[in-house]
Amino acid sequence: MLNRKYVPILVTFGLLAVMFAAGSFRYTGFFSAQVLYNLLIDNSFLIITAVGMTFVIISGGIDLSVGSVIALTTMICATLVERHGWSPVVVIPMVLIFGALFGTLLGAIIHYFKIQPFIVTLAGMFLARGICYIISIDTITVTNGFFTKAAQTKVPLPGGNISINVIIALVIVLAAIYLAHYTRFGRNVYAIGGSEQSALLMGLPVARTKILVYTFSGFCSALAGVVFTFYMLSGYGLHAMGLELDTIAAVVIGGTLLTGGVGYVAGTLIGVLIQGVIQTIISFEGTLSSWWTKIVIGLLLFVFILFQRLLSDRRVTLKT
Amino acid sequence: MQAPILQMTGITKRFPGVKALSNVDFRLFPGEVHALMGENGAGKSTLIKVLTGVYSIDEGTVTIENQAVSIGGPLEAQKAGISTVYQEVNLCPNLTVAENIYIGREPRKFGRILWNKMNKEAARLLKERLNLSIDVTLPLHAYSVAVQQLIAIARALSISAKVLILDEPTSSLDQNEVHQLFSIMRKLKNDGLAILFVTHFLDQVYEMSDRITVLRNGELEGEYLAAGLPRIELVLKMIGKDLKLLEELPKLSEEAGAAAGSIMITASELGRKGAINPFDLEIRKGEVVGLAGLLGSGRTEMARLLFGVDRPDQGKLLAGESGSPVKSPRSAIELGIAYCSENRKTEGIIDDLTVRENIILALQAARGWLRPISRKKQDEIADQYIKMLNINPPNPEHLIKNLSGGNQQKALLARWLLTEPELLILDEPTRGIDIGAKAEIQKLVLSLAKQGMSVLFISSELEEVIRVSDRVAVLRDRSKVKELGGGELNQQQIMQAMAGG
C-alpha cells in the first residue's frame, strides 16, 4: 500500500534499466560507464530545466517559456561577454536573476489575473524568443576563457569522466529533492496541486507559492541556459527550439501527473535519462534517422499518459 | 450556568438589494452541541460565513470568551479559535493524513520538516481525541469520506479550536459513518468544545443537539432547548406558521380525479446511496402527485432518479403501459417523461435565445437536428403557446432573459408541453414568481391533468401542493415516510409527517 505511490516512478526506473540492458546486449561498447556519463553530459541542461518544470507541473501549471529563456540566456551571456567585454562573474549571476524575475512576472500574471498558465507562458515564450533576435540574428561564438574552461574541464570518475555541467545538474536535482520534500514551500506546492481551493482554506500562502514556482522555473531555465552556453560555447536565437516540449515529456515520463499534486524530482531525472538512452540507442544503430527519437518518445508518452489515467481511475474507484 | 464562549449580538449583513441577516443574536456555550436551523434563504449559511470571516459584518459584534474580536478572514477565524469543517472535505487528497493535519504548521528544525515527529503527533492526536487508529503516512484519498471528515476535524482541533462548526457533515455519510461521527462529537462535547451543528436531518438534530436556534428570513426566530421543543413546533417555526392558523384550504383538484386510469410510472424499492433511500411510488394517468418535505429531504433527488438523470443503485423504475425501464434522460423523454428542473437559471432557460427558440428547443431535440422545424411552424407553435400560457410580453422574438421569472417559467413549461409528455415532473415551478403567475401555473397543471397528463409536483409551499395534488408523498431525511390522499390531505397531516418522531 505504501509503495503504491511509488509505482509510476518504479515503472519508469525499470524501463530505463531495461532499455539500458537491451542496448548493452545489442551493441558492443554500449555497456560502459562513459555511455552513462555521456547521457548526463549531453542532457544536463535538460535535467535542470525539467527540475523547474516538475515543480510547475506538480503545482498544477505548465511553463512553455523554458526553451526560449534558455536561448535568451545564451544570447545575453554571449553578447555581454563577447561583444561588450563584461566579466562572466557579473554576467552569470545577472542572467540567473533575470531568469528568476521573468518567471516571477509570468507567475504574478497567472495568479493575480487568473489567466491559464498555458497562454501566459506561451506569450512569455514568444517574447523571450523574439528578444533574442533584437540582440542578434546570428550565432555569437563564445571564446571567453572562463566559458571555454568550464566547457572543457573534465572531472574524472571511475570508468570515464563528466563535465562541470553534470555536477551543476546533479546538485540542482539534490537541492530540488530537499526543497520538494523537506521544506514548507515544497509541501505547499504539492498541496496547491492537490486542491488549490483547499490549500487556500487551510490558510496556506497560495499566492506566494504559486508565483515562486514560476520564479524557480525561470531560474532553472536561466541556469540551464548558462549550462547550455558552456555546452555549445555560443549564443543563438534558435538554440533549444522546442525544448519546452521535450522537458514536459521528460517530466511526464518521470511519473508526474499533468493534473498536478503528484510527482517526484528523481522521477524527472529518470525521465530525462530515458529520452537520452533512446537517443543513444538510435545513434548506435547508425542507420536510423534521429527523428526516430521523436517517434519512440511519442509512443512512450502515449503509453505513460494511459498508464497514469488507469492509475488515477483506480484511485477514484477506491474512493467511492 | 457558565458564560457563553461565543456571543454574536445584533449581527446585520446586507447584500445589494437584500438584507441577508438583520439583528441576529447567537450564542454558543462550551460543551454543547447547538443546531442552527432554517429553511432555504433563512440566513444560516450567511451567519456561518460571517462567523468564519468569509463575509464581513455590517453591524453587530462578536465576542469570544468575553473579548470582542473582528474576524477578517478564514485565517483570522482560525486564530480566534473558530474552525469549520465543511460538507465537501477541504483537504488535499494527494498529501498524507499527517500532512493534511499539520500543513502550514509542520514541526521544523532549521527549516527542515521533521516528518517522524509530525507523523507521531498526528497518530497520537487522532488516537487520543478521535479514537481513530489509522496509518497517517498514507495519502488522504486512501480513506473514505467519513474518515476524511474526521481528519478535517483533527486539523481543526490541532489549531486549538474552541468553537467547531460542522456544516452539513453528515450529508455524504452512510448510517454507520454517521454514528461514528456522532460518538466523536459527543466525546468532543464532553471535552468542553462548543460545536455548531448544521444539518437538514431532523432526526440528527434531535439525536445530537442540546440547543436549537431557528432563523427565518434573515431574522432570529428564537433559541430553544432541544428537549423542550417538539418536532412539529420546530417545523412550524422554520416555516413560519402557527398550528392554529392552518385552516382547510379550498381545494382546486377534484376528488373524481382519483378514478384515474392506467399506471404511468412505477418505482419499486428505487434508491441511490447518499441521495435518497429506497422508495415505492406509483403515478397514474391524469393524476397529480405532490412531493412535500423540508429542504434537503430528498425531493429533487427523487425527481432526478425518476427522470434517469442519476443512476439508481437499487430498485426498478418502469414507465408506461409496456413497463419499459427508464435508463437515462434520453430514454425518459422517449417514454414521454418531461422534467422542469428547479434551477430555472442554470438548467432551464438559455438566456441569449428568444422566447420562440427556447420553446422550440426540446421538440427540436426530440426530432433530431437533421430535421429542422420550419420557421413558419416555429412561429405558429410559439404564438399558440404564448397565447395558451399567457406569456407576457406576447412577442416570440423577445430575448428570454428580459422576461420576468414567472414568464420564463411559463416558456419553460411550454417547451416541455410541446413534446406532449405523458408525465411532467415540475420541480419548484413557482419559486420566485409572483402570486398571479403562481395561480396561473397551478390552474394550468390542473387542466393538463384533466386532459390525461400525469404530473409530479414538487414545491416548498404546502398550500400549493395541497391545492393541486390528488395525492401527496411526504419525504423526511431522504426517505419517503408517508403518502396522503383524499380526506387525509391537509396541512396538519403533512406537517406531522414532515416533522416525524
Side-chain angles (χ1 to χ4, degrees):
Chain A
M1 194 68 195
L2 183 65
N3 285 338
R4 251 230 359 248
K5 62 179 183 178
Y6 298 119
V7 166
I9 203 171
L10 286 176
V11 169
T12 318
F13 187 76
L15 188 68
L16 176 65
V18 166
M19 286 173 120
F20 200 78
S24 306
F25 279 115
R26 191 168 156 85
Y27 312 106
T28 45
F30 192 98
F31 185 72
S32 73
Q34 191 57 51
V35 169
L36 194 62
Y37 296 154
N38 284 344
L39 278 182
L40 292 168
I41 293 170
D42 295 334
N43 291 298
S44 44
F45 58 94
L46 187 56
I47 293 173
I48 298 173
T49 322
V51 163
M53 183 72 85
T54 307
F55 277 78
V56 175
I57 293 181
I58 289 175
S59 82
I62 198 88
D63 187 352
L64 297 181
S65 70
V66 293
S68 304
V69 172
I70 290 177
L72 184 56
T73 310
T74 67
M75 225 38 196
I76 295 174
C77 283
T79 187
L80 287 182
V81 171
E82 292 300 317
R83 297 202 171 155
H84 301 278
W86 290 31
S87 162
V89 183
V90 179
V91 172
I92 290 174
M94 205 188 82
V95 291
L96 293 183
I97 292 171
F98 170 78
L101 287 180
F102 189 75
T104 311
L105 176 72
L106 297 186
I109 294 174
I110 289 165
H111 181 76
Y112 289 112
F113 296 94
K114 296 190 170 56
I115 304 173
Q116 278 81 7
F118 183 93
I119 201 69
V120 174
T121 57
L122 185 70
M125 168 178 128
F126 285 125
L127 184 66
R129 190 68 76 175
I131 294 173
C132 291
Y133 296 102
I134 295 181
I135 297 171
S136 169
I137 53 167
D138 301 315
T139 314
I140 304 174
T141 312
V142 178
T143 53
N144 179 283
F146 181 87
F147 279 90
T148 50
K149 193 149 194 311
Q152 283 152 9
T153 304
K154 300 259 186 281
V155 182
L157 277 182
N161 43 52
I162 54 171
S163 63
I164 302 268
N165 285 349
V166 175
I167 295 174
I168 298 176
L170 293 181
V171 167
I172 283 289
V173 168
L174 291 178
I177 290 175
Y178 182 84
L179 192 64
H181 296 283
Y182 291 99
T183 64
R184 280 196 181 162
F185 166 74
R187 301 322 294 166
N188 291 346
V189 173
Y190 279 86
I192 290 172
S195 164
E196 189 173 334
Q197 174 68 19
S198 297
L200 202 65
L201 285 173
M202 287 198 283
L204 302 180
V206 171
R208 190 177 76 205
T209 308
K210 260 176 90 178
I211 294 169
L212 274 180
V213 159
Y214 289 91
T215 306
F216 182 66
S217 177
F219 171 82
C220 284
S221 307
L223 185 63
V226 172
V227 164
F228 202 76
T229 317
F230 291 156
Y231 183 68
M232 301 293 279
L233 285 178
S234 67
Y236 188 28
L238 283 176
H239 273 336
M241 256 320 211
L243 186 98
E244 53 282 341
L245 303 180
D246 291 334
T247 313
I248 295 168
V251 172
V252 172
I253 291 174
T256 300
L257 295 187
L258 272 176
T259 44
V262 179
Y264 297 95
V265 175
T268 298
L269 174 64
I270 298 171
V272 174
L273 293 183
I274 284 180
Q275 290 200 19
V277 169
I278 295 169
Q279 242 150 9
T280 313
I281 288 178
I282 281 160
S283 69
F284 264 84
E285 186 67 40
T287 55
L288 285 177
S289 142
S290 68
W291 283 105
W292 276 95
T293 316
K294 301 278 176 206
I295 293 174
V296 177
I297 291 176
L299 291 173
L300 259 187
L301 261 180
F302 273 127
V303 172
F304 266 80
I305 48 185
L306 289 176
F307 178 66
Q308 290 188 349
R309 166 56 66 190
L310 290 178
L311 271 187
S312 56
D313 275 356
R314 221 174 48 185
R315 181 180 309 153
V316 173
T317 48
L318 195 88
K319 234 188 205 170
T320 48
Chain B
M1 182 125 216
Q2 54 196 141
I5 185 161
L6 171 82
Q7 177 96 48
M8 299 173 87
T9 322
I11 303 291
T12 299
K13 174 75 197 167
R14 287 182 206 91
F15 291 113
V18 235
K19 217 173 189 184
L21 287 176
S22 73
N23 200 21
V24 171
D25 295 341
F26 180 75
R27 57 189 190 150
L28 205 52
F29 291 93
E32 75 164 353
V33 175
H34 193 133
L36 186 59
M37 302 294 293
E39 274 284 90
N40 211 4
K44 270 183 312 181
S45 51
T46 311
L47 188 69
I48 289 175
K49 284 185 172 152
V50 160
L51 190 53
T52 51
V54 178
Y55 296 153
S56 61
I57 300 176
D58 291 338
E59 279 166 42
T61 55
V62 180
T63 62
I64 291 176
E65 291 178 321
N66 289 324
Q67 291 198 323
V69 288
S70 81
I71 297 164
L75 251 188
E76 282 179 40
Q78 278 182 16
K79 282 193 187 121
I82 302 170
S83 286
T84 314
V85 174
Y86 298 93
Q87 170 186 1
E88 298 295 323
V89 178
N90 278 300
L91 297 174
C92 293
N94 57 326
L95 302 183
T96 69
V97 172
E99 271 198 288
N100 268 299
I101 297 176
Y102 285 109
I103 195 164
R105 296 166 297 111
E106 301 99 331
R108 290 186 302 174
K109 197 171 176 187
F110 306 121
R112 177 174 180 272
I113 294 173
L114 303 172
W115 282 88
N116 282 333
K117 191 172 176 219
M118 187 166 86
N119 289 340
K120 265 188 210 135
E121 279 178 16
R124 207 186 58 214
L125 177 77
L126 287 173
K127 182 98 192 56
E128 282 179 6
R129 301 293 302 272
L130 304 178
N131 292 332
L132 194 64
S133 298
I134 55 172
D135 184 351
V136 295
T137 61
L138 287 185
L140 186 78
H141 65 69
Y143 293 104
S144 68
V145 180
V147 173
Q148 293 185 15
Q149 215 145 36
L150 296 181
I151 293 166
I153 294 176
R155 180 178 172 85
L157 294 176
S158 77
I159 317 177
S160 82
K162 298 167 195 144
V163 174
L164 183 62
I165 302 171
L166 298 176
D167 191 0
E168 295 282 350
T170 54
S171 44
S172 43
L173 305 186
D174 68 27
Q175 208 60 38
N176 285 332
E177 293 167 337
V178 169
H179 285 308
Q180 191 187 4
L181 177 69
F182 280 1
S183 70
I184 282 160
M185 280 169 70
R186 286 195 193 97
K187 182 166 158 42
L188 295 175
K189 179 175 117 173
N190 292 336
D191 292 350
L193 199 69
I195 299 174
L196 171 55
F197 181 44
V198 182
T199 182
H200 287 309
F201 299 106
L202 284 183
D203 289 343
Q204 299 181 355
V205 168
Y206 278 97
E207 186 176 346
M208 282 312 297
S209 43
D210 304 301
R211 200 180 291 270
I212 300 173
T213 290
V214 181
L215 296 181
R216 196 174 67 239
N217 297 329
E219 287 175 24
L220 178 69
E221 211 283 333
E223 188 204 79
Y224 310 91
L225 283 173
L229 185 68
R231 284 179 179 226
I232 183 109
E233 288 281 325
L234 173 61
V235 173
L236 290 170
K237 286 187 195 313
M238 283 165 66
I239 306 181
K241 291 226 164 57
D242 204 320
L243 203 51
K244 281 168 262 157
L245 295 179
L246 295 182
E247 75 233 52
E248 289 299 309
L249 287 156
K251 200 159 153 50
L252 291 175
S253 68
E254 291 159 36
E255 303 292 333
S262 54
I263 292 168
M264 177 54 214
I265 192 166
T266 319
S268 45
E269 283 297 302
L270 194 68
R272 181 180 157 90
K273 204 180 159 198
I276 186 154
N277 297 324
F279 64 92
D280 295 322
L281 187 71
E282 206 178 76
I283 302 175
R284 291 175 172 275
K285 228 171 154 46
E287 192 180 32
V288 180
V289 175
L291 268 191
L294 291 172
L295 181 83
S297 56
R299 297 179 311 212
T300 299
E301 288 79 356
M302 188 186 250
R304 286 173 67 94
L305 276 187
L306 292 177
F307 192 58
V309 185
D310 295 324
R311 214 165 268 281
D313 42 34
Q314 61 166 304
K316 267 192 299 202
L317 177 61
L318 303 174
E321 280 157 45
S322 51
S324 335
V326 180
K327 295 191 208 106
S328 62
R330 214 190 161 82
S331 74
I333 291 172
E334 273 165 20
L335 290 165
I337 305 175
Y339 175 46
C340 261
S341 101
E342 66 178 327
N343 297 321
R344 186 163 65 226
K345 288 261 185 272
T346 53
E347 294 175 14
I349 62 161
I350 299 176
D351 264 356
D352 291 314
L353 295 186
T354 63
V355 174
R356 170 180 54 83
E357 287 164 324
N358 266 289
I359 291 178
I360 246 55
L361 210 58
L363 182 64
Q364 182 67 76
R367 280 170 61 120
W369 297 104
L370 290 177
R371 298 193 300 143
I373 302 166
S374 74
R375 180 60 192 262
K376 189 162 161 264
K377 181 94 177 131
Q378 288 188 22
D379 286 337
E380 270 173 33
I381 294 171
D383 280 335
Q384 180 198 341
Y385 277 90
I386 286 173
K387 263 197 210 97
M388 183 171 121
L389 301 180
N390 202 5
I391 295 176
N392 195 26
N395 175 2
E397 299 310 312
H398 239 68
L399 289 186
I400 198 157
K401 64 178 173 191
N402 298 333
L403 267 60
S404 71
N407 284 302
Q408 288 180 353
Q409 190 64 49
K410 286 191 226 163
L412 257 189
L413 262 174
R415 179 195 292 172
W416 289 111
L417 293 180
L418 199 49
T419 63
E420 295 177 341
E422 290 167 59
L423 169 64
L424 182 61
I425 303 174
L426 294 172
D427 196 352
E428 295 280 6
T430 59
R431 179 190 288 170
I433 65 180
D434 64 69
I435 301 265
K438 263 183 201 176
E440 276 181 59
I441 286 180
Q442 291 166 9
K443 259 184 230 146
L444 182 73
V445 166
L446 289 168
S447 74
L448 288 171
K450 222 175 225 166
Q451 292 162 31
M453 193 185 290
S454 318
V455 181
L456 182 69
F457 191 90
I458 307 175
S459 171
S460 305
E461 292 180 35
L462 283 187
E463 296 93 335
E464 181 174 277
V465 175
I466 293 170
R467 203 171 295 152
V468 300
S469 311
D470 298 311
R471 260 188 309 139
V472 174
V474 184
L475 297 176
R476 184 178 80 242
D477 295 354
R478 301 224 165 119
S479 297
K480 186 182 152 201
V481 290
K482 203 157 196 177
E483 209 170 282
L484 298 160
E488 305 172 299
L489 201 55
N490 59 49
Q491 291 209 49
Q492 194 159 353
Q493 287 281 351
I494 294 181
M495 289 268 197
Q496 285 283 7
M498 276 163 66

